[in-house]
Amino acid sequence: MVDIHCHILPGLDDGSDNLEESVRMARLAVDGGTKAIIATPHSNVPDSYRNYCNKSFVDTFNTLKERIKQENIPLKLYAGHEIFASGDIVTLIKTKRLLTLRNSRYPLIEFAFKERAEIVYQKLGELVAEGFTPIVAHPERYAFVAEDEFAPMRLKSMGCLLQVNKGSVKGSFGREAHVVSKSLIKHEVADFIASDAHSPYMRTTYLSDVHEIICDIRSQEYADLLLSINPEKVIRNKKIY
Ligand SMILES: [Fe+2]
């Protein structure tokens, strides 16, 4: 499996606190059948985590990558951002201050949980118009999705893809996110499942349990599509549909 959303880089956001925690997250990922992780720290969040790509960001990434290698952990690590949709994200991405997932056509985009629908569609539309294929992080957690059953299909019809969180499927983010995430899977509307892991203790990098849940809700083929086949296409910058 390939995990496209993971807060494994140490000390940059509310994810891993330090290098040792990051190494534990890497080991746990491998134990759960993950072969590659795209590190996606929160970024571009107003008055909070900025994390624009600079020397310090690259050094943090390279330090963890080197440590994973030294520890002989069979895990590939790639760089990305979980991009908070505020300001001129198109320019920030084009100038590489914000990273798409492994420098692909796919930026991982998040919103405030109560962001207004028109802002969401406007921001995503700007990215699509510039040739990007935005991946919407955890749509099941947003108010505008809970309030409009057609929102997921509208996002997809405008050219976005949907990444559901492992924790939502397991019921860790409340009833609404649980119900919506299961519906997205049951109707094969979701395109990815990712860990959105923040530590080796809670919200972890372990993915094989959620693979089993998807098999039960829908099918093994769809579980493989969400956790392996589509994420592989992202790291190779291949078209998904
Ligand atoms: Fe996240």
Side-chain angles (χ1 to χ4, degrees):
M1 291 182 275
V2 174
D3 191 356
I4 65 163
H5 181 171
C6 187
H7 299 263
I8 193 171
L9 293 187
L12 294 184
D13 62 4
D14 57 346
S16 168
D17 276 339
N18 54 57
L19 197 53
E20 299 314 312
E21 271 198 10
S22 298
V23 170
R24 281 194 207 111
M25 289 171 78
R27 284 194 200 287
L28 201 51
V30 170
D31 290 347
T34 295
K35 294 181 172 141
I37 284 177
I38 308 180
T40 54
H42 291 292
S43 64
N44 196 43
V45 187
D47 303 320
S48 181
Y49 308 115
R50 308 301 282 171
N51 281 327
Y52 299 115
C53 189
N54 56 21
K55 184 177 182 305
S56 148
F57 181 94
V58 173
D59 286 349
T60 302
F61 175 82
N62 286 337
T63 300
L64 178 58
K65 193 175 163 119
E66 184 57 32
R67 181 70 188 275
I68 287 170
K69 193 176 162 196
Q70 282 170 4
E71 301 272 343
N72 291 318
I73 301 168
L75 180 77
K76 289 190 172 131
L77 188 69
Y78 302 115
H81 272 132
E82 182 177 17
I83 298 171
F84 191 90
S86 86
D88 185 359
I89 49 174
V90 168
T91 300
L92 288 164
I93 292 171
K94 281 185 164 181
T95 55
K96 310 257 185 217
R97 295 197 74 208
L98 292 172
L99 302 177
T100 59
L101 299 179
R102 204 197 176 194
N103 205 22
S104 65
R105 74 191 75 185
Y106 301 104
L108 179 67
I109 306 294
E110 74 163 336
F111 298 91
F113 290 121
K114 295 195 172 169
E115 185 60 276
R116 285 182 297 138
E118 56 264 42
I119 302 290
V120 171
Y121 295 122
Q122 179 206 320
K123 290 284 184 197
L124 294 170
E126 288 168 7
L127 287 164
V128 171
E130 291 292 328
F132 294 104
T133 302
I135 298 176
V136 180
H138 40 66
E140 73 280 2
R141 300 190 68 192
Y142 298 127
F144 82 95
V145 172
E147 288 159 6
D148 175 9
E149 64 177 306
F150 299 108
M153 287 316 295
R154 182 169 170 190
L155 292 169
K156 294 198 58 157
S157 66
M158 66 187 285
C160 300
L161 299 171
L162 307 182
Q163 177 260 302
V164 167
N165 269 12
K166 172 186 89 162
S168 302
V169 180
K170 295 180 79 177
S172 311
F173 298 123
R175 188 182 170 279
E176 193 70 54
H178 193 207
V179 169
V180 174
S181 64
K182 285 207 295 188
S183 171
L184 292 174
I185 290 158
K186 198 172 163 193
H187 297 102
E188 298 199 1
V189 177
D191 303 292
F192 306 93
I193 303 278
S195 73
D196 195 3
H198 280 63
S199 86
Y201 316 112
M202 293 173 64
R203 299 181 71 178
T204 74
T205 45
Y206 193 84
L207 283 178
S208 73
D209 49 355
V210 78
H211 184 277
E212 282 177 31
I213 295 172
I214 310 304
C215 291
D216 290 343
I217 297 174
R218 190 67 202 179
S219 66
Q220 172 154 5
E221 289 73 22
Y222 189 52
D224 291 344
L225 187 79
L226 297 182
L227 285 151
S228 299
I229 295 168
N230 285 347
E232 285 267 359
K233 288 181 178 169
V234 168
I235 57 177
R236 291 184 192 159
N237 196 21
K238 298 277 188 211
K239 210 165 172 8
I240 292 199
Y241 298 113

